[in-house]
Amino acid sequence: LLRRAAQAHGSGDPRYWIAARMTLAEIRAAATRLHGVVHHTPVATCATLDRLAGCELFFKCEQFQKAGAFKYRGASNAVLSLSDREAARGVVTHSSGNHAAALARAARRRGIAAYVVMPRTASRLKWRAVQEYGGHIVLCEPTFAARQAAAAALQAETGAVLIPPFDHAAVIAGQGTAALELLADVPGLNAIVAPIGGGGMISGAAIAANGLDPTIAVIAAEPAGADDAARSKAAGQLLAQTAPDSIADGLLTGLGTLNWPIVRDLVDAVVTISDEAIVAAMRLLWERAKLLVEPSAAIALAAVLSPAFAAVPARRPLRRVGIILSGGNVDLDALPWNPGS
């Protein structure tokens, strides 16, 4: 039955069978596995931003997570799910930064090797973080195809276990624990808004929200210059990411094949946001809420402040909105409002 379901959704990959039947129980199991390993991050509020949005906003502050981003949840869950025999081979991934650092840190905690493929254009801040956590870096051209090819070659060379940044059931479950915490800490939310790149976090959030209360709207925020999720939703089929271009460097990758059916079926809307709006939201979060986040995180607030948010189909009025701030790994030497940056 699972094989036929996978084929019906255009995927014969057995990993899809796991993702297709993932439930709240898997995310709760991940939360148990991660207890004491990841931070239970705080929820912040800001009256000024509530007034601008016209609703109550609750910010899940994953910039305070270990390694500076929500990615540590998925990476840790995946690494801790490995058998001792698998773990002894080490792990390999490809990432523009946050997942790279997260996996290197998770691997170091377990005492195993981490091999990381990063695009040569990756932030030097994130590059240094991977090195500090003991990751072995291999550089590649800044395309998703180049990243995948380099990771495959590195895996063949080292025999390490591939832990992709989002297209992996254990990663999705681990990342879903952020939404699980948010829903426990803030009862009565009408919506959860989170960034979307590969789709790991929004998939986990959608599964958690749907499992606890199917009336909660789940809304993805995506850069207008990297809008494959929005186009896929509109077309009803997974479309490729083409020539992505955005200041939100963590959201330039294409939507994962395991994440796509979850996004298609459980995410209510994908709101696309301009880089100008992302920068404005980032500055608001810094100045008004004193929350230092990176552009890929600020996009979620930008989505709530955009006119498109009011048009999102919802089962209830969106009066109490949870926003997942995905990370805070900011290169302070290249702030988007600095002259010449």
Side-chain angles (χ1 to χ4, degrees):
L1 289 175
L2 288 171
R3 182 185 295 275
R4 285 199 294 272
Q7 291 172 342
H9 288 90
S11 173
D13 189 333
R15 294 177 304 160
Y16 171 80
W17 312 340
I18 300 171
R21 61 185 175 87
M22 186 182 294
T23 66
L24 180 61
E26 277 75 24
I27 296 175
R28 282 178 167 155
T32 298
R33 188 177 293 114
L34 295 175
H35 181 71
V37 175
V38 304
H39 290 318
H40 186 126
T41 52
V43 176
T45 58
C46 177
T48 298
L49 296 182
D50 286 356
R51 177 176 53 79
L52 291 174
C55 59
E56 290 184 275
L57 303 179
F58 300 89
F59 297 97
K60 179 65 169 169
C61 296
E62 285 295 292
Q63 72 271 25
F64 300 139
Q65 187 54 260
K66 294 178 182 179
F70 78 101
K71 291 285 191 178
Y72 191 62
R73 295 175 181 271
S76 293
N77 192 49
V79 168
L80 292 174
S81 298
L82 297 174
S83 68
D84 289 344
R85 185 172 181 178
E86 290 172 321
R89 294 157 50 193
V91 291
V92 63
T93 196
H94 57 86
S95 167
S96 62
N98 282 341
H99 178 70
L103 189 68
R105 196 182 197 281
R108 186 182 70 176
R109 184 181 183 277
R110 190 160 180 185
I112 62 177
Y115 305 95
V116 181
V117 172
M118 299 184 73
R120 56 176 175 76
T121 54
S123 160
R124 291 298 179 267
L125 173 76
K126 297 177 180 179
W127 191 358
R128 289 195 300 270
V130 175
Q131 291 177 319
E132 288 170 7
Y133 293 138
H136 306 278
I137 299 175
V138 172
L139 297 180
C140 71
E141 291 303 303
T143 67
F144 190 63
R147 283 168 44 168
Q148 285 185 310
L154 193 56
Q155 183 184 21
E157 177 186 342
T158 62
V161 177
L162 177 66
I163 306 291
F166 47 82
D167 222 2
H168 190 284
V171 170
I172 294 170
Q175 293 174 359
T177 62
L180 193 66
E181 290 177 4
L182 174 61
L183 292 165
D185 292 344
V186 187
L189 288 181
N190 307 130
I192 292 179
V193 184
I196 188 169
M201 177 166 61
I202 199 73
S203 294
I207 292 166
N210 187 68
L212 289 168
D213 182 355
T215 69
I216 297 172
V218 179
I219 300 155
E222 183 175 49
D227 64 346
D228 63 303
R231 291 185 290 106
S232 296
K233 284 281 280 186
Q237 60 179 321
L238 181 60
L239 300 177
Q241 181 72 274
T242 55
D245 182 18
S246 173
I247 192 173
D249 63 315
L251 305 179
L252 299 181
T253 188
L255 190 62
T257 56
L258 306 189
N259 309 104
W260 157 241
I262 302 169
V263 171
R264 180 195 60 207
D265 297 341
L266 297 182
V267 173
D268 294 271
V270 179
V271 177
T272 55
I273 302 297
S274 69
D275 275 8
E276 292 76 15
I278 294 171
V279 172
M282 183 177 170
R283 189 155 189 162
L284 277 172
L285 285 162
W286 285 41
E287 291 183 344
R288 299 295 184 171
K290 315 307 177 192
L291 295 173
L292 191 154
V293 298
E294 59 190 278
S296 298
I299 193 173
L301 173 61
V304 174
L305 297 178
S306 74
F309 188 74
V312 168
R315 302 160 193 81
R316 292 182 290 173
L318 303 183
R319 298 193 180 104
R320 290 169 59 83
V321 178
I323 293 178
I324 300 180
L325 298 177
S326 54
N329 291 316
V330 182
D331 185 348
L332 297 180
D333 293 327
L335 294 179
W337 48 78
N338 279 351
S341 64

